[in-house]
Amino acid sequence: DIVNTVSPTYARETRTPAFAYGMAPRLNDKGDTYVGILNGVDYADWNPAVDALIPARYTPEDLSGKAVCKAELQKTFLLEADPDIPVVGVVSRLEKEQKGLDLLATAVEGIARNMRVQFAILGSGDKGLEGVYRQLPARYPGRVGSYIGFDNRLAHLVEAGSDFFVMPSRYEPCGLNQMYSLKYGTLPIVRATGGLNDTVEQYDERTVTGTGFKFDEPSARAIYYTVGWAVSTYYDRRPHIRQMIQNAMAQDFGWEASARQYERLYERAVANKKAL
């Protein structure tokens, strides 16, 4: 009766051959009965004000705990202990086709050589990519740290302690980590696809609005320059970063709003069925 997917942008993308894997004609035939509803976040688990897995809790009104988390993150990932260097976090499956972590690996090489920035990378998956990310700390000691595997406590620490969080996905139906990042005041750097596009508002230097940094092209080059934009903003426009953190932490992607949309969707499906 009605078909849905997990974000409005992904619903639009899957109407096209590039994203639909042969289903575009069927999905387009659904017309306005094919819709996108964002997944929600469980803020009982992902909220820096109550998170028991991070070394210090914090709120938009008092961000001092975030500095404590950053110091612990730098220590844990063997990064140079300097509160003034921005840290870019990654928590992801190390996967090429969807997540774009092959593109990020290429970009990190140039970023680490040319920018005063650090990376804290947590993930596992493709064995070739695991090898690449495992070697980066030796190539850039104190600048790049990696943990191959998954550890929930470390995932929370990366979200809380990082200044930025990068998700270079080639496609992303919804994504959750960018929404976690917003709540933790960790500004997302994302490709404008799927749910990443729906949940992250592009930074505008003129109006000091936005909650993150977005790029369109799925390439190492685009990642490099967008991270560069974020890093230059961090060093040159710190009041903008502080405002964006407030903007980000004010976002609400809890399940309540999504659940209301699902209720309306099911009611609509029932009404359509009765009308037949």
Side-chain angles (χ1 to χ4, degrees):
D1 302 291
I2 288 178
V3 176
N4 80 281
T5 189
V6 291
S7 72
T9 293
Y10 195 62
R12 292 192 296 272
E13 290 173 337
T14 49
R15 291 177 182 270
T16 68
F19 286 87
Y21 295 91
M23 292 183 65
R26 295 296 184 100
L27 294 174
N28 279 301
D29 285 346
K30 298 300 293 182
D32 66 358
T33 60
Y34 177 43
V35 300
I37 297 175
L38 282 166
N39 282 335
V41 171
D42 186 349
Y43 287 131
D45 287 334
W46 293 95
N47 183 344
V50 298
D51 192 339
L53 297 179
I54 59 177
R57 280 149 291 289
Y58 58 93
T59 65
E61 295 74 33
D62 181 3
L63 292 169
S64 57
K66 187 167 179 63
V68 175
C69 294
K70 181 173 181 176
E72 183 64 23
L73 179 66
Q74 289 176 321
K75 177 182 177 181
T76 301
F77 280 80
L78 303 180
L79 302 172
E80 180 185 349
D82 188 334
D84 295 324
I85 298 178
V87 179
V88 179
V90 178
V91 178
S92 179
R93 284 184 293 113
L94 300 182
E95 194 268 347
K96 297 178 181 179
E97 183 179 353
Q98 178 187 354
K99 298 296 185 180
L101 270 292
D102 55 327
L103 304 175
L104 180 63
T106 300
V108 166
E109 296 273 355
I111 293 167
R113 286 194 300 267
N114 300 320
M115 301 181 202
R116 190 167 177 259
V117 63
Q118 299 173 343
F119 282 88
I121 301 164
L122 169 64
S124 64
D126 179 273
K127 295 305 178 185
L129 281 177
E130 285 187 359
V132 170
Y133 281 103
R134 188 178 281 113
Q135 294 168 10
L136 283 173
R139 292 169 60 82
Y140 304 100
R143 307 288 301 283
V144 179
S146 67
Y147 179 95
I148 304 304
F150 183 74
D151 182 297
N152 189 45
R153 185 177 293 274
L154 281 183
H156 282 249
L157 180 61
V158 172
E159 287 287 7
S162 299
D163 297 289
F164 302 104
F165 192 96
V166 64
M167 296 178 70
S169 304
R170 287 183 171 89
Y171 67 94
E172 192 67 59
C174 180
L176 292 173
N177 277 101
Q178 82 280 9
M179 293 190 273
Y180 302 157
S181 297
L182 292 167
K183 179 58 72 174
Y184 283 74
T186 299
L187 303 178
I189 301 170
V190 301
R191 181 161 180 263
T193 186
L196 302 178
N197 188 51
D198 293 318
T199 53
V200 179
E201 180 187 350
Q202 183 72 292
Y203 165 52
D204 188 319
E205 295 182 21
R206 297 165 302 169
T207 59
V208 199
T209 54
T211 59
F213 302 82
K214 299 197 286 191
F215 58 94
D216 294 311
E217 182 183 281
S219 70
R221 177 181 179 274
I223 298 168
Y224 178 93
Y225 283 110
T226 309
V227 170
W229 181 26
V231 170
S232 69
T233 303
Y234 181 91
Y235 284 120
D236 300 334
R237 296 178 294 280
R238 289 302 290 273
H240 288 203
I241 292 291
R242 289 193 289 270
Q243 182 59 55
M244 290 177 71
I245 290 171
Q246 296 298 317
N247 298 345
M249 296 183 77
Q251 303 301 303
D252 183 359
F253 292 105
W255 269 111
E256 186 174 335
S258 297
R260 285 197 297 268
Q261 292 182 62
Y262 274 106
E263 284 183 334
R264 289 194 292 269
L265 191 71
Y266 298 151
E267 289 167 357
R268 183 179 162 200
V270 170
N272 287 353
K273 195 72 172 177
K274 288 178 178 177
L276 294 175

